[in-house]
Amino acid sequence: MITTTTRQHTLRDHLPGRHTARAASSVEHQAMLASRLTARDKWLLALLHEHRVLTSLQIQDAAFPSGRSARQRVRNLYLWRAVSRFQPFQQLGSAPMHYVLGPAGAAVLAAEHGLEVKEIGYRHDRAMGIAHNQRLAHTVGVNDFFTSLIARTRKGGPAGALVAWWSESRCSRHFGDLVIPDGYGSWRTRHREVEWFLEFDTGSESLIKVGRKLAGYARLAESTGIATPVLVWLPTTRREAGARTALARVHAGLDDPRAVPVATAAADLLDPAAPHPSPAEAVWLPLTSARANRAGPRYNLADLADAWPGLAPPADPGPDDGESGDAAAASPYRLPPPSPIPPRATPNRIARGEQ
């Protein structure tokens, strides 16, 4: 434009072109990817397939030591069509780039499990359709919850580690006839493990509807004989106070309230200036039906089981429960869930030059 002047040095280097869709599905392109993709790359592709969309910041938290290394590596994956991307409109400022599984990445993921691309339920138009989905903010919020726990795990220390993360769609396949959690997770320390179902609230749902979800969890507990905590994550402490009143009203009316342990927390309890703020911190307030808003100690994620002394420890999952690793064989439309923790970066020459 006339209001800006183009400097000559900006014209010197040309960006490498992105492969066409036809080229990305070719045998030659797949052979090229075999020499370029690291174990961490393939893990990221599996994570995108499981959880639909991850922002650039979430990818950095989950797998990379810095924003620069994340941007460089994901840019290569984009140029190879292993991932696709979009940037949602935002009134103020600019939204981070959002990434989904690309056609070449889906082909790699399917081939790893001895399946065709159509057998893993992938279609590129559906993958990109999340860009216009009215639940995009909710999906990104749920993934932010878990990727912050991954970042906390990678930091190390005695706080514990995230050892399981199931998506809403996987939860729907397992429990959808009774209830559909926004996610399932498990946090492990040296001495204990706590599992939970997540209900992620963005503030757009009525508090009455939030409370009614407990009836579904009560039916699930009755069906399985397992009391699994339900963690409700809310945007503000003000919203949390209202939600606790609604939850307590429903919780008190359950046939066996002890079968549905509930705890709430709010995002504004976290310190945004902290190095790795996450739901692992002491922000969880257990629910008691009698006095929903009673002030009490807030627990960190590792010690939350102490709030429910009779809570049985999680059972070891079998292959049918979606166990990750070699114990779970892939079948059409049902890939095993990826480990929530990425493999270490590949320390070879090619990887160092491209990360």
Side-chain angles (χ1 to χ4, degrees):
M1 294 181 63
I2 193 64
T3 56
T4 59
T5 301
T6 301
R7 301 300 182 95
Q8 181 64 30
H9 69 84
T10 64
L11 303 177
R12 292 175 182 171
D13 295 325
H14 297 281
L15 291 176
R18 191 176 185 223
H19 294 273
T20 65
R22 183 183 295 273
S25 61
S26 68
V27 174
E28 293 78 9
H29 188 73
Q30 292 298 311
M32 181 276 290
L33 289 180
S35 68
R36 301 286 183 90
L37 294 182
T38 65
R40 185 176 61 180
D41 294 334
K42 294 177 181 179
W43 171 85
L44 179 57
L45 299 179
L47 206 69
L48 286 171
H49 179 64
E50 174 78 12
H51 302 292
R52 301 192 66 185
V53 59
L54 293 171
T55 68
S56 54
L57 298 176
Q58 291 170 353
I59 291 174
Q60 176 186 334
D61 280 346
F64 292 89
S66 67
R68 180 175 179 273
S69 61
R71 288 190 298 272
Q72 288 180 339
R73 192 58 184 172
V74 176
R75 176 177 174 273
N76 283 340
L77 295 176
Y78 169 74
L79 292 174
W80 299 333
R81 285 192 174 266
V83 302
S84 295
R85 68 188 185 188
F86 63 90
Q87 189 174 30
F89 172 77
Q90 191 166 292
Q91 289 282 1
L92 299 175
S94 58
M97 199 64 72
H98 290 50
Y99 291 88
V100 301
L101 184 64
V108 169
L109 190 60
E112 275 204 319
H113 295 283
L115 301 171
E116 299 291 332
V117 171
K118 63 182 180 181
E119 291 183 301
I120 66 172
Y122 175 84
R123 277 179 44 180
H124 190 229
D125 58 339
R126 289 180 180 174
M128 288 297 291
I130 189 70
H132 307 285
N133 194 301
Q134 294 184 357
R135 299 187 78 238
L136 173 63
H138 181 270
T139 302
V140 170
V142 171
N143 294 350
D144 208 33
F145 180 98
F146 284 99
T147 53
S148 67
L149 290 176
I150 296 175
R152 184 65 174 266
T153 300
R154 293 175 60 229
K155 180 184 176 183
L162 184 68
V163 294
W165 174 18
W166 288 10
S167 64
E168 179 181 357
S169 60
R170 187 173 297 274
C171 289
S172 177
R173 290 198 298 269
H174 281 264
F175 318 114
D177 55 335
L178 299 172
V179 67
I180 303 179
D182 292 326
Y184 162 83
S186 183
W187 187 259
R188 180 183 296 164
T189 65
R190 293 181 179 179
H191 307 293
R192 65 174 64 183
E193 182 174 345
V194 58
E195 61 179 350
W196 71 90
F197 293 121
L198 175 67
E199 286 294 333
F200 189 92
D201 176 72
T202 60
S204 60
E205 209 171 39
S206 72
L207 293 175
I208 295 176
K209 188 174 181 180
V210 172
R212 286 175 179 169
K213 293 180 179 181
L214 296 187
Y217 287 106
R219 292 192 295 270
L220 179 62
E222 181 181 5
S223 173
T224 62
I226 302 173
T228 303
V230 178
L231 304 188
V232 185
W233 184 259
L234 301 119
T236 64
T237 50
R238 181 177 180 180
R239 173 80 172 175
E240 181 189 18
R244 289 179 65 83
T245 300
L247 289 166
R249 190 178 299 116
V250 177
H251 196 256
L254 298 178
D255 292 338
D256 185 6
R258 293 177 300 176
V260 188
V262 179
T264 64
D268 61 0
L269 292 170
L270 299 176
D271 180 9
H276 298 283
S278 77
E281 298 176 21
V283 294
W284 296 102
L285 185 60
L287 180 76
T288 56
S289 300
R291 305 175 74 175
N293 294 313
R294 178 180 179 180
R298 288 189 181 260
Y299 293 78
N300 61 39
L301 193 56
D303 296 330
L304 192 54
D306 292 339
W308 306 294
L311 188 67
D316 292 331
D320 293 337
D321 295 324
E323 183 182 1
S324 60
D326 296 336
S331 59
Y333 299 100
R334 294 192 65 178
L335 297 185
S339 167
I341 307 304
R344 293 187 178 184
T346 306
N348 58 34
R349 178 181 59 81
I350 294 177
R352 285 201 303 270
E354 295 175 348
Q355 288 178 12

